[in-house]
């Protein structure tokens, strides 16, 4: 079974530029998550989707970050304009259900460096 | 947002030693998960505990959930270099919220 796919693996941009990350979850998984992991810290939830609806985006900096999950499958996370403090690994995860007792399957992440 | 504290933040031990890492919160968890993350990869689930006082064993790893469901521990017996990684606890709050701690970075020296 294919795992969670993310691209690009690495991206270097200058501040104020824009960037987009793509995620393809495990087939059939209804719930999709985007996490931000800054070096030396644990993953911080940015947004959680159930199918194509948003369950939780309370920690998403909505003035610069946006995410969508059209058709309830793939998802895109966009940052515009980027700031230095956005340098981090952006992890996408998926799970079969909404409950927090289920396993989250993570992709390898997209490492963003903002100069 | 609920806060989880993990300790120690860093741990470096010799192969064959035992170790324990901790995860604590001032709030009651509905569930608790432990993940391990290796460099350049995403976290991988080790265990999920949901019942206060629950103990689960996974080979040389023993996971314990506190009676009050506010804390958890992970004990590794006879650590091996392959155990090296970042150990993350994730606390469940309510029915769907999951909050990660900052992790414990473990290095096992051969």
């Amino acid at each position: 079974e294919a795992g969670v796919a993310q691209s690009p693996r690495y991206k270097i941009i200058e501040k104020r530029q824009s960037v987009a990350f793509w995620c393809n979850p495990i087939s059939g998984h209804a719930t999709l998550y985007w996490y931000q992991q800054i070096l030396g810290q644990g993953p911080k939830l940015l947004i959680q989707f159930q199918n194509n609806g948003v369950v939780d985006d309370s920690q998403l900096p909505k003035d610069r970050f946006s995410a969508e999950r059209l058709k309830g499958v793939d998802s895109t996370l966009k940052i515009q304009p980027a700031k230095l403090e956005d340098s981090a690994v952006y992890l996408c995860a998926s799970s079969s259900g909404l409950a927090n007792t289920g396993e989250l399957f993570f992709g390898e992440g997209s490492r963003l460096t903002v100069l | 947002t609920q806060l989880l504290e993990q300790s120690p933040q860093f741990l470096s031990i010799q192969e064959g030693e035992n170790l324990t890492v901790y995860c604590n919160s001032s709030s009651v968890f509905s569930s608790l998960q432990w993940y391990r993350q290796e460099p350049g990869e995403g976290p991988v689930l080790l265990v999920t505990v949901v019942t206060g006082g629950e103990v689960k064993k996974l080979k040389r790893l023993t996971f314990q959930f506190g009676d009050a469901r506010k804390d958890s521990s992970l004990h590794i017996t006879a650590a091996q270099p392959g155990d090296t990684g970042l150990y993350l606890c994730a606390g469940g709050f309510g029915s769907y919220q999951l909050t990660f701690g900052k992790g414990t970075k473990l290095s096992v020296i051969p």
Side-chain angles (χ1 to χ4, degrees), chain A residues 20 40 43 46 48 50 60 62 71-72 76 88 91 95 103 115:
Chain A
L46 293 175
Q48 179 179 349
Q50 173 76 358
L60 185 73
K62 297 179 184 66
K71 301 180 181 178
T76 302
L91 293 165
S95 63
E103 180 174 2
L115 303 176

Side-chain angles (χ1 to χ4, degrees), chain A residues 2-99:
Chain A
V4 175
Q6 291 189 244
S7 67
R9 285 296 311 276
Y10 305 94
K11 189 73 176 180
I12 301 174
I13 62 173
E14 295 188 348
K15 59 183 180 184
R16 291 187 289 274
Q17 287 187 325
S18 63
V19 63
F21 302 112
W22 172 82
C23 173
N24 181 234
I26 291 174
S27 178
H29 278 193
T31 309
L32 184 147
Y33 312 78
W34 282 104
Y35 284 89
Q36 180 193 58
Q37 187 173 25
I38 293 173
L39 187 64
Q41 298 186 19
K44 170 189 164 186
L45 179 68
L46 293 175
I47 190 166
Q48 179 179 349
F49 292 96
Q50 173 76 358
N51 296 312
N52 59 352
V54 176
V55 174
D56 185 354
D57 64 356
S58 57
Q59 299 188 87
L60 185 73
K62 297 179 184 66
D63 58 334
R64 297 183 301 105
F65 286 65
S66 65
E68 60 182 9
R69 191 184 183 196
L70 298 176
K71 301 180 181 178
V73 182
D74 294 5
S75 179
T76 302
L77 176 70
K78 296 180 181 179
I79 307 174
Q80 181 179 16
K83 292 185 175 181
L84 297 177
E85 59 261 36
D86 298 332
S87 293
V89 175
Y90 290 86
L91 293 165
C92 179
S94 69
S95 63
S96 57
L98 184 60

Side-chain angles (χ1 to χ4, degrees), chain A residues 9 33 35 37 40-45 48 55-56 58-59 91 98-109 111, chain B residues 1 9 30-31 33 35 37 40-45 48 50 86 88 92-98 100-103:
Chain A
R9 285 296 311 276
Y33 312 78
Y35 284 89
Q37 187 173 25
Q41 298 186 19
K44 170 189 164 186
L45 179 68
Q48 179 179 349
V55 174
D56 185 354
S58 57
Q59 299 188 87
L91 293 165
L98 184 60
N100 52 23
T101 53
E103 180 174 2
L104 268 62
F105 294 85
F106 285 85
E108 293 180 317
R111 181 179 295 275
Chain B
T1 303
Q9 190 175 356
S30 56
S31 63
Q33 296 183 332
Y35 288 80
Q37 184 177 22
E41 298 182 9
V44 176
L45 180 68
T48 300
V50 296
L86 179 67
L88 295 159
F93 300 96
S95 59
Y96 67 86
Q97 285 189 321
L98 194 67
F100 282 83
K102 291 187 175 183

Side-chain angles (χ1 to χ4, degrees), chain B residues 5-13 17-24 32-36 46-47 60-66 71-77 79 83 85-90 102-108:
Chain B
E5 292 188 3
Q6 289 192 243
S7 61
Q9 190 175 356
F10 300 97
L11 189 55
S12 181
I13 62 171
E17 292 183 347
N18 302 332
L19 67 114
T20 303
V21 297
Y22 301 92
C23 176
N24 296 282
L32 195 288
Q33 296 183 332
W34 285 93
Y35 288 80
R36 185 173 75 195
L46 296 174
V47 76
R60 294 177 293 101
L61 278 60
T62 302
F63 305 86
Q64 188 161 6
F65 200 14
D71 59 275
S72 180
S73 64
L74 159 59
H75 181 81
I76 301 178
T77 303
D83 296 327
L86 179 67
Y87 288 81
L88 295 159
C89 68
K102 291 187 175 183
T104 292
K105 189 171 183 179
L106 172 65
S107 296
V108 182

